[in-house]
Amino acid sequence: MKMALALLFSIGLYLCTAPYTLAHTYYISSKGNDANTGTTTASAWRSIAKANKHRYSPGDSLLLEGGYTFSGGLYFHQENLQGEGAPLVISSYGEGRATIDAGDSYGFYAYNVAGIEIRDLNFRGSGYTRNTNHGILFYNDLPGDVKLPHIVIDQVEVSGFRKSGITLGAWNGNSGFRDARITKAVVHDIDSVGINTYGQFDHTKTGYAHQNIYIGHCHVYKIYGLILPDKHSGSGIVLSDVDGSTIEHSVVHTSGMQNKNCGGPIGIWAWDANNITIQYNEAYNMSAGSGCDGGGFDLDGGVSNSVMQYNYSHDNDGAGFLIAQFEWARPMRNNIIRYNISENDGRKNDYKGITLWVENHERGGNLDLLVYNNTIFADSAVAPSGGGVFFKSGGHHNVRFFNNIFYSRNGAPMLVATDTTMDVSFHHNAYYSEDGRYTFVWGDVRYTSLPDFQAATGQEAINGSPTGMVADPQLQAPGTAGTLGYPLDLQALRDRYSPQKKSPLIDKGIAVPLPPSFAPATEDIFGNQIESTAAPDIGAVSYTRPKFFQLLKELF
């Protein structure tokens, strides 16, 4: 009996500790030999080809010697990675990062498997004009709407690939990936797209391929754009077929130069997605190529319950902030644009700081959009087609603008809406033109003053009483912020777009009624506390009172 109990105890102890006991670390070294066991630095393998032939268990690690370059591409699939438990970790050891030189192929490919962490590695292709594949690709085409869990991609540099830098892809119903994090990735010199997710698109389906994707603190640039006859290319970070995701603290710039089509490229955007948050990012110098778009940020076809907030967009060919609903998308509704800054967006193709477009009015259009407390600066000498807001089409329903600043230099227009078949309202926004030239286009008529625009359209008025104002916001130095760079520090904008203490826009906004699914903004783009939700300051930046006066206000 005692022997039986001891045996059962031993078996139980083994089962409890097996995932840890059985996990191994394998090494690849420039001085290794593929005939070795690979389990110590002294008995390391030499090649990626050998590593691909090994069968790994959950909790294993594969480490490449830092400071050295290894040819080939890592490939994981159900034959060499099985089981559940701790993730497989792939990283560098020793001094610095290891580099995987993929040549014309992929740098890393995981097919129908997840539970993988990739850390501290460089992936290098043969060049965006020669390479034919992705830098890092996770792909799922399993039947049965299977979402494979746990992917971490952290502190990698990916360059020289044709199709993408980093992709989470799927193509079988709602099968895909969940709980994925891409952080501190530097992606550059790519042909098609920097970082993206995609699934099997079907505008009639319910649900999404991917769930809970986080992208943060990434730097994406020089995404040139494939020269294609019928598809846009050259975007920085794109989420599609996703439910519940965040892109934040990232910088995208200098991309899209070879694009030849419309529908993109955009710096950071989402389409066919739900519950997306895009915040605390910078996007600049995005090009339309010989096509169109080339904007900073975008909620595109079929996006719902999503928000763009606390972002800085500047010097882009296209819109700073775009809402676009294409014909065969799922319904677009219940989205928010708030507390963003646009500086000199709209360098071509009539785009403005904020641009809205619907391809087919009869398929539902753009519903329930709230745009509030943004600051849009446009200098027509810098961005010739720039301005405040551009309705590129009708088909917008229950779209509301509150508490925004539209600041014009050298005659940039405040508002252009040539198609007025829409339900749109503007209230308690502030307009300022440095040279006194005010342009509002509504339908076929051009108005040169806010009062004339109010009287003719009913905008910026309630029961005949004006709500909007013409006033110098007395910002510190608008139009001079330029590039912030990576790592991103939005505080550098503070000395440009903060209101001075005598600004007429302090406490002049109105409380914004929010949909139940959104929490109110409690701070501005710099983290300043919004002191009054009943009468907030107008614009993206709240006036910061000296601490002494804040204390008096709290006491009395």
Side-chain angles (χ1 to χ4, degrees):
M1 182 68 179
K2 290 182 178 179
M3 290 182 63
L5 288 173
L7 179 61
L8 287 174
F9 177 79
S10 298
I11 292 172
L13 181 63
Y14 171 80
L15 292 175
C16 291
T17 61
Y20 304 96
T21 304
L22 298 179
H24 294 90
T25 298
Y26 300 93
Y27 298 88
I28 303 176
S29 169
S30 61
K31 299 176 286 293
N33 189 315
D34 286 348
N36 291 338
T37 61
T39 54
T40 68
T41 56
S43 61
W45 298 325
R46 185 176 181 84
S47 72
I48 286 176
K50 172 64 176 179
N52 286 340
K53 293 177 182 178
H54 185 76
R55 184 168 180 170
Y56 300 88
S57 300
D60 284 352
S61 296
L62 176 62
L63 305 181
L64 289 79
E65 187 178 10
Y68 290 89
T69 298
F70 301 90
S71 298
L74 290 168
Y75 179 36
F76 294 91
H77 46 89
Q78 292 181 330
E79 296 300 317
N80 70 352
L81 178 60
Q82 289 186 341
E84 297 180 357
L88 169 68
V89 176
I90 304 163
S91 187
S92 301
Y93 76 93
E95 295 293 328
R97 289 184 187 174
T99 296
I100 293 176
D101 187 343
D104 296 342
S105 190
Y106 55 79
F108 176 96
Y109 180 26
Y111 176 51
N112 287 338
V113 294
I116 296 174
E117 298 187 0
I118 305 170
R119 300 178 181 274
D120 293 299
L121 286 168
N122 299 328
F123 294 85
R124 185 176 66 203
S126 56
Y128 74 94
T129 61
R130 291 182 55 191
N131 182 272
T132 60
N133 220 299
H134 303 265
I136 298 174
L137 171 64
F138 285 81
Y139 185 77
N140 178 358
D141 63 1
L142 293 169
D145 296 342
V146 176
K147 289 179 173 57
L148 298 172
H150 193 89
I151 295 169
V152 173
I153 303 170
D154 179 58
Q155 299 189 82
V156 300
E157 182 173 356
V158 185
S159 63
F161 293 90
R162 177 176 175 82
K163 292 184 177 179
S164 74
I166 301 172
T167 289
L168 309 183
W171 204 261
N172 196 340
N174 281 332
S175 288
F177 299 97
R178 63 177 173 86
D179 304 327
R181 293 178 62 85
I182 302 171
T183 52
K184 297 183 179 179
V186 178
V187 178
H188 62 95
D189 290 279
I190 304 292
D191 211 355
S192 182
V193 61
I195 301 172
N196 74 315
T197 69
Y198 71 87
Q200 185 175 13
F201 174 70
D202 182 350
H203 73 279
T204 66
K205 78 174 183 179
T206 58
Y208 299 87
H210 308 291
Q211 185 177 20
N212 189 25
I213 310 296
Y214 177 85
I215 301 173
H217 302 273
C218 293
H219 186 195
V220 180
Y221 61 99
K222 291 186 180 178
I223 312 299
Y224 295 94
L226 282 170
I227 303 174
L228 299 173
D230 57 356
K231 187 179 185 299
H232 63 83
S233 187
S235 289
I237 302 175
V238 189
L239 291 176
S240 71
D241 215 339
V242 177
D243 185 14
S245 296
T246 297
I247 306 171
E248 65 181 7
H249 303 293
S250 295
V251 178
V252 175
H253 64 93
T254 317
S255 297
M257 295 78 80
Q258 297 180 166
N259 173 62
K260 290 184 175 295
N261 296 283
C262 295
I266 301 291
I268 298 176
W269 59 300
W271 67 279
D272 194 43
N274 178 63
N275 190 22
I276 304 298
T277 299
I278 300 174
Q279 62 182 6
Y280 301 111
N281 304 289
E282 179 183 19
Y284 65 94
N285 198 29
M286 290 298 300
S287 173
S290 60
C292 56
D293 289 304
F297 299 88
D298 176 20
L299 298 180
D300 213 283
V303 170
S304 58
N305 306 306
S306 297
V307 59
M308 295 187 289
Q309 61 186 7
Y310 313 128
N311 300 292
Y312 174 43
S313 176
H314 63 97
D315 300 292
N316 296 296
D317 280 359
F321 300 91
L322 177 67
I323 296 291
Q325 173 70 337
F326 61 85
E327 183 172 8
W328 294 104
R330 297 194 229 191
M332 169 174 274
R333 59 182 52 166
N334 198 37
N335 297 309
I336 287 179
I337 305 173
R338 66 184 179 188
Y339 286 96
N340 303 284
I341 294 175
S342 168
E343 180 178 287
N344 291 326
D345 289 310
R347 295 187 297 193
K348 58 195 299 187
N349 298 329
D350 292 327
Y351 286 101
K352 307 289 184 278
I354 298 174
T355 299
L356 303 93
W357 173 76
V358 170
E359 184 173 14
N360 189 326
H361 301 192
E362 297 178 359
R363 291 185 58 83
N366 166 37
L367 290 79
D368 305 327
L369 173 67
L370 182 56
V371 184
Y372 72 97
N373 280 97
N374 301 282
T375 297
I376 311 299
F377 175 92
D379 183 348
S380 62
V382 178
S385 70
V389 181
F390 178 35
F391 290 92
K392 199 173 181 179
S393 72
H396 306 281
H397 309 280
N398 191 30
V399 175
R400 297 163 292 162
F401 286 74
F402 298 114
N403 302 344
N404 300 287
I405 296 174
F406 300 111
Y407 193 119
S408 170
R409 182 175 289 167
N410 292 311
M414 303 293 179
L415 168 63
V416 177
T418 54
D419 185 343
T420 59
T421 55
M422 54 188 181
D423 171 21
V424 175
S425 62
F426 285 76
H427 292 295
H428 293 270
N429 300 286
Y431 305 85
Y432 178 64
S433 169
E434 289 184 347
D435 58 6
R437 288 185 285 171
Y438 290 85
T439 299
F440 302 84
V441 177
W442 194 257
D444 296 328
V445 183
R446 180 177 181 270
Y447 304 94
T448 57
S449 74
L450 180 61
D452 288 346
F453 175 64
Q454 290 169 323
T457 66
Q459 298 292 343
E460 293 294 4
I462 297 178
N463 297 323
S465 298
T467 58
M469 68 170 72
V470 171
D472 180 353
Q474 296 187 30
L475 306 179
Q476 298 285 353
T480 64
T483 298
L484 303 183
Y486 179 84
L488 181 59
D489 181 11
L490 287 169
Q491 295 298 324
L493 288 170
R494 184 183 294 273
D495 293 339
R496 272 69 173 181
Y497 284 97
S498 293
Q500 301 177 48
K501 64 180 181 180
K502 293 185 178 180
S503 170
L505 307 189
I506 296 172
D507 298 333
K508 296 302 182 182
I510 61 167
V512 176
L514 292 174
S517 55
F518 290 95
T522 58
E523 60 183 34
D524 68 9
I525 191 172
F526 302 140
N528 298 327
Q529 182 179 353
I530 298 171
E531 296 186 7
S532 172
T533 55
D537 300 345
I538 294 176
V541 184
S542 296
Y543 175 66
T544 304
R545 293 172 174 82
K547 292 183 179 180
F548 173 76
F549 292 103
Q550 290 185 19
L551 179 61
L552 287 179
K553 187 173 182 179
E554 291 172 3
L555 291 174
F556 299 101

